[in-house]
Amino acid sequence: MCHREGGLQEASILPATLHSSWKKVLSFLDLSLGFSHTLSFVKDPSHWEVVEPLPSYGRGVDVPGRRYRSLINGYMLLDVVITGDNGTIDGQGSVWWDWYSYHSLNYSRPHLVEFVASEYVVVSNLTFLNAPAYTIHPVYCSNVHVQNVSVSAPPDSPYTVGVVPDSSDNVCIEDCIIDMGYDAIALKSGWDEYGIAYGRPTTNVHIRRVRLKSYSGSSLAFGSEMSGGISDVHVEQVHLYNSFGGIEFRTIKGRGGYIKRIIISDVEMANIFLAFAATGQCGSHPDNNYDPYALPVFDHITLRDVIGTNITIAGSFTGIQESPFTSICLFNISFSISSGSPTSWVCSNVFGFSESVFPEPCPDLQSSYPNSSSDCLSLLHLNGEVAVL
């Protein structure tokens, strides 16, 4: 999955925007920055272009209606490369953060880099700073490779997120350092009835050798906008540190979709308030037209080979009564819990299996139903195959 096939054409252009009308004359992009070069965007975005919302969201995420065009963006492109010898792309997002915090946005904030409905997208060897919202956002894309990038925004930057694969498939994120105000990496696939209708999942994702830090969100998040589904994700060799949340799965009634066949292994955590979380009460709805009976499915999730130091809460798993979280598999996990922690585990409406886990998880995660162990072993075998695609 992390190897890209085929030759790559090259061009040298530095646009802030790639309009869809370029599609017939430009099938590739190579945006290259040298070592000491910085591409910065204007600090006064008052006349920034506005575009329609993504169809799988139905409206802007920050406010209803349309959204500002992302700073670097492309639509229906083939063979896209944004790379450089450790050059820097600075979104200068402070004005956008102020507008968001003071409820002054007319439209939803732009992202720093966004490619829509594109194939063979490579982002590598660059530093990205101060995104207005998301930093790298491939949506409706296939064959995306994010490698050797550094991504950061200040701790107080509201809801800034590092890399966000969104309704995209065959995605590889590796050898990256990401430090954000909210989530470091978040997987998404659409919002309520719009994501259900669009019906494109995020699937076949491989994340490895990354260092992730999140101030107010989670280092690695799934959802909560996941109505198109998230599946077949393999995460390995990751270091999560100095974060509120470590690994979190988010959904809510009315969201529909699924999160399933996820395996996360070989994880080091340090100074994390909440190491693992899965919640069925997270997120809002885009409007009142969602189906309250559209229940998400959460199934076959494996967390294994995890070591954590200075952890406040080991895990909080709170499922949905009408659609409990099932086949949660915990193997070989050891946390050093900080002194004064009120509790190690919180569980409700979840079923799973655990082996060699310290501190001992709640009874809901200790072979609470037949065939838990065999289900977990089946998932490990399945994801072993997915990981080498």
Side-chain angles (χ1 to χ4, degrees):
M1 182 182 300
C2 289
H3 299 287
R4 187 176 178 284
E5 298 179 354
L8 184 67
Q9 304 177 74
E10 294 186 356
S12 181
I13 51 179
L14 292 171
T17 3
L18 297 177
H19 296 282
S20 58
S21 59
W22 292 25
K23 176 65 173 64
K24 293 183 179 180
V25 297
L26 178 65
S27 61
F28 58 89
L29 164 66
D30 181 355
L31 192 161
S32 300
L33 294 177
F35 173 69
S36 60
H37 292 79
T38 298
L39 177 63
S40 297
F41 290 88
V42 296
K43 290 186 176 181
D44 178 11
S46 56
H47 300 293
W48 205 265
E49 187 175 357
V50 174
V51 296
E52 294 301 313
L54 292 165
S56 58
Y57 285 80
R59 50 155 280 187
V61 173
D62 295 327
V63 295
R66 294 188 293 172
R67 62 197 189 111
Y68 290 103
R69 183 183 290 275
S70 295
L71 307 186
I72 297 174
N73 67 83
Y75 175 68
M76 293 186 67
L77 296 178
L78 176 66
D79 281 339
V80 181
V81 179
I82 298 180
T83 189
D85 185 12
N86 294 320
T88 299
I89 297 179
D90 189 345
Q92 301 198 83
S94 59
V95 65
W96 299 104
W97 307 333
D98 289 343
W99 283 2
Y100 177 88
S101 297
Y102 291 107
H103 306 287
S104 299
L105 285 168
N106 294 318
Y107 308 99
S108 290
R109 290 172 295 170
H111 307 310
L112 182 48
V113 178
E114 179 180 73
F115 288 103
V116 181
S118 298
E119 295 187 49
Y120 294 104
V121 177
V122 175
V123 182
S124 66
N125 304 313
L126 284 168
T127 294
F128 295 90
L129 304 175
N130 304 317
Y134 301 165
T135 303
I136 300 171
H137 185 218
V139 57
Y140 320 141
C141 289
S142 295
N143 302 299
V144 177
H145 194 178
V146 179
Q147 180 184 34
N148 193 33
V149 300
S150 175
V151 183
S152 65
D156 59 350
S157 56
Y159 293 97
T160 54
V161 187
V163 183
V164 187
D166 196 343
S167 292
S168 294
D169 60 271
N170 297 318
V171 177
C172 179
I173 304 168
E174 61 181 349
D175 302 311
C176 298
I177 300 173
I178 305 174
D179 177 358
M180 302 302 296
Y182 193 56
D183 295 333
I185 295 176
L187 282 66
K188 300 180 180 292
S189 67
W191 202 359
D192 285 8
E193 69 269 27
Y194 303 103
I196 293 171
Y198 197 82
R200 177 157 181 174
T202 287
T203 186
N204 291 334
V205 179
H206 196 175
I207 300 170
R208 64 185 180 185
R209 298 190 304 271
V210 293
R211 293 177 58 87
L212 308 178
K213 178 180 177 182
S214 159
Y215 181 72
S216 62
S218 291
S219 297
L220 175 62
F222 296 76
S224 70
E225 301 92 346
M226 36 64 68
S227 300
I230 299 172
S231 69
D232 300 302
V233 179
H234 186 197
V235 181
E236 60 180 337
Q237 302 175 58
V238 298
H239 182 70
L240 317 179
Y241 64 102
N242 299 351
S243 300
F244 177 83
I247 298 167
E248 184 174 12
F249 303 88
R250 307 166 179 154
T251 188
I252 193 172
K253 290 182 183 179
R255 196 69 93 225
Y258 53 81
I259 300 176
K260 61 184 181 181
R261 297 194 300 273
I262 314 295
I263 184 168
I264 301 173
S265 64
D266 194 7
V267 178
E268 294 182 1
M269 295 188 184
N271 307 319
I272 305 289
F273 179 80
L274 177 57
F276 299 143
T279 176
Q281 296 84 39
C282 181
S284 60
H285 301 288
D287 50 43
N288 293 323
N289 298 321
Y290 70 94
D291 178 3
Y293 300 104
L295 298 175
V297 173
F298 184 94
D299 186 54
H300 281 92
I301 311 296
T302 291
L303 304 166
R304 64 173 300 161
D305 302 330
V306 181
I307 296 177
T309 58
N310 194 27
I311 306 298
T312 302
I313 299 174
S316 176
F317 293 83
T318 56
I320 298 171
Q321 185 175 3
E322 299 88 339
S323 182
F325 296 167
T326 57
S327 294
I328 299 171
C329 309
L330 309 177
F331 291 101
N332 191 29
I333 296 170
S334 178
F335 289 136
S336 171
I337 302 298
S338 58
S339 61
S341 176
T343 184
S344 296
W345 296 87
V346 177
C347 300
S348 64
N349 299 310
V350 296
F351 302 97
F353 172 86
S354 59
E355 182 178 292
S356 301
V357 176
F358 180 85
E360 186 175 271
C362 39
D364 311 65
L365 299 175
Q366 298 183 45
S367 297
S368 299
Y369 64 102
N371 301 320
S372 295
S373 179
S374 60
D375 284 348
C376 291
L377 292 174
S378 174
L379 178 65
L380 289 173
H381 174 71
L382 172 66
N383 278 274
E385 293 177 351
V386 170
V388 297
L389 291 178

